[in-house]
Amino acid sequence: MYTPFGAPIDLSDLPSFDRTKVSARRSAFLGRVSTKDNQDPSLSIPRQVSHASARLDDGEEFVAHYWDVESGMLPPELRGLGTQEMYDGLAVSVQRDGGLQDLLACAEVLGITHVLAESSDRVARAMLTSLTVEHDLEAKGIEVVYADEPVGGTESGRLRTRRYSQVDAEIYRAVLMEKSMGGQIQHAVQGWNHGYAPYPYIREVDETAPRKTSRFGMERPKQKLVPHPDSRRFDAARELCRLRREEHLKAADIITILEADPERYPIEDRWTQNRVSGLIENPKLTGYQVYNRRAKRTGRPGLSPLNPMSEWVWSPRPVHDAVISVEEWKTAQEVTAAMRAGAANDGPLLRIRTAARRLGLPVTLVSTGATHKVYRIGDRQVVLPIPVPNGVAQQVIDDMERQR
């Protein structure tokens, strides 16, 4: 730090007059190309290196290059997970010594003193992530430098510029998310499919839909769901849904029935509980297009949590052939909820209500006692203990079906 308040005599010849450099400066490059912006890594990464190089000392070169081709919305622990084969196929002229995770793990061991990036948003779009990276590196004595920051001036001015830049990146991230979500909602509302095709369907390019072309000329055609060429798949999906809805069978029991007749219920490889449960839960079997079922931006890859149904986006009308009706799908979800309740008090009662609804019988609570409740089911009164044992529930359901 420069100060105008120096000593009254010249002390520059003393050994401790200037700060001694303990080690030579060793700078590493940090960059990122967003998958969401359709950037070309072979152009963007060399450009970032060129801009960051302006902050190198005379005659200095980068000792390592760390860069990722990933969304800046990812937290550090999910960055840099792409395979080396993927990066080799990008034909980027800049060598890659790893990604952000590798830099954080190896910087201190390699004696890196400075990390240079084109701008803070090349570290991350989320301000918390970029701050975390800066904090982790600075705690190890490694200075983070952004090429778009002014040289000289006060530390407070530099910090103000940096934080403003990070706020801008955070706001850009929020705007990008809002626009992306709005576009995806319209994509579903207009009937086009997201993700894989459920078992009874295949994806087919909608030739009547407008084509979206990226700035690199790659087309992104819109796809819709159409029935699978093997019509047995529709029958198989319809049957496994019926087995859950009407017979209250668990996934393992449904698999046993499906595997007993492979000609009638064809499947690649084999039936699994995830496949059966996923089909029963999939609202696309109703003919409607449904989006935002899972929170794919949170949770671990492959384990995205389900969003509440109130946040799902449904097309206003059916847009492809239906396997089951919406009412049948809803009943299947009620049965599944009752089965998951297991020994919970309302589980067996929910089974009775579901069966009564299927048979067109209203269920009304008549009176409540300390140990039992009286219900009117159709034109009959039934006394049920509290809680309702599974055996009693099944007997009531059997009686209702026999009388119908």
Side-chain angles (χ1 to χ4, degrees), residues 279-291:
L279 276 173
I280 293 171
E281 296 170 1
N282 197 327
K284 292 183 182 181
L285 268 60
T286 64
Y288 287 80
Q289 191 58 252
V290 184
Y291 171 66

Side-chain angles (χ1 to χ4, degrees), residues 241-316:
C241 290
R242 187 197 68 80
L243 291 171
R244 170 61 57 83
R245 184 179 65 253
E246 297 182 6
E247 301 189 26
H248 298 199
L249 295 186
K250 297 179 179 179
D253 299 325
I254 295 175
I255 290 173
T256 300
I257 294 173
L258 299 178
E259 289 182 339
D261 195 350
E263 284 299 316
R264 185 179 178 187
Y265 310 120
I267 186 68
E268 306 96 344
D269 194 13
R270 62 189 182 88
W271 289 101
T272 64
Q273 293 202 23
N274 283 341
R275 279 181 168 175
V276 170
S277 298
L279 276 173
I280 293 171
E281 296 170 1
N282 197 327
K284 292 183 182 181
L285 268 60
T286 64
Y288 287 80
Q289 191 58 252
V290 184
Y291 171 66
N292 200 39
R293 292 175 58 213
R294 291 190 175 275
K296 293 184 178 180
R297 297 187 187 277
T298 61
R300 299 189 301 276
L303 296 174
S304 302
L306 282 171
N307 285 326
M309 288 186 186
S310 59
E311 297 179 10
W312 294 6
V313 176
W314 293 67
S315 60

Side-chain angles (χ1 to χ4, degrees), residues 354-375:
T354 301
R357 184 182 296 111
R358 174 168 51 84
L359 297 171
L361 301 174
V363 179
T364 305
L365 178 63
V366 177
S367 62
T368 301
T371 60
H372 66 277
K373 292 183 178 181
V374 179
Y375 291 88

Side-chain angles (χ1 to χ4, degrees), residues 369-402:
T371 60
H372 66 277
K373 292 183 178 181
V374 179
Y375 291 88
R376 180 177 297 281
I377 303 178
D379 57 359
R380 299 175 58 239
Q381 283 195 348
V382 179
V383 179
L384 297 177
I386 304 176
V388 181
N390 281 313
V392 172
Q394 188 59 52
Q395 182 178 349
V396 172
I397 293 171
D398 291 343
D399 289 344
M400 286 191 297
E401 291 178 342
R402 279 196 296 268

Side-chain angles (χ1 to χ4, degrees), residues 56-71:
L56 291 171
D57 286 348
D58 291 341
E60 184 187 7
E61 295 182 355
F62 287 119
V63 298
H65 298 79
Y66 298 93
W67 50 273
D68 296 315
V69 179
E70 285 171 343
S71 169

Side-chain angles (χ1 to χ4, degrees), residues 3 8-9 18 26 33 50 100 140-141 159 191 265 269 291 295 319 325 342 356 395 397-398 402:
T3 173
I9 62 174
D18 264 332
R26 291 172 58 82
V33 179
S50 176
L100 177 60
K140 300 171 183 176
L159 189 61
Y265 310 120
D269 194 13
Y291 171 66
V319 292
S325 68
Q395 182 178 349
I397 293 171
D398 291 343
R402 279 196 296 268

Side-chain angles (χ1 to χ4, degrees), residues 92-156:
V92 177
S93 59
V94 178
Q95 71 179 52
R96 183 176 186 270
D97 299 293
L100 177 60
Q101 281 201 57
D102 301 295
L103 170 64
L104 296 175
C106 303
E108 190 172 22
V109 176
L110 296 177
I112 292 173
T113 61
H114 295 75
V115 170
L116 276 57
E118 180 185 45
S119 57
S120 64
D121 62 349
R122 293 304 171 184
V123 177
R125 293 283 186 199
M127 188 173 181
L128 177 59
T129 301
S130 59
L131 289 174
T132 300
V133 171
E134 290 175 15
H135 180 270
D136 289 350
L137 291 172
E138 290 172 358
K140 300 171 183 176
I142 301 170
E143 183 179 352
V144 179
V145 179
Y146 299 129
D148 65 346
E149 294 178 349
V151 178
T154 63
E155 174 63 16
S156 61

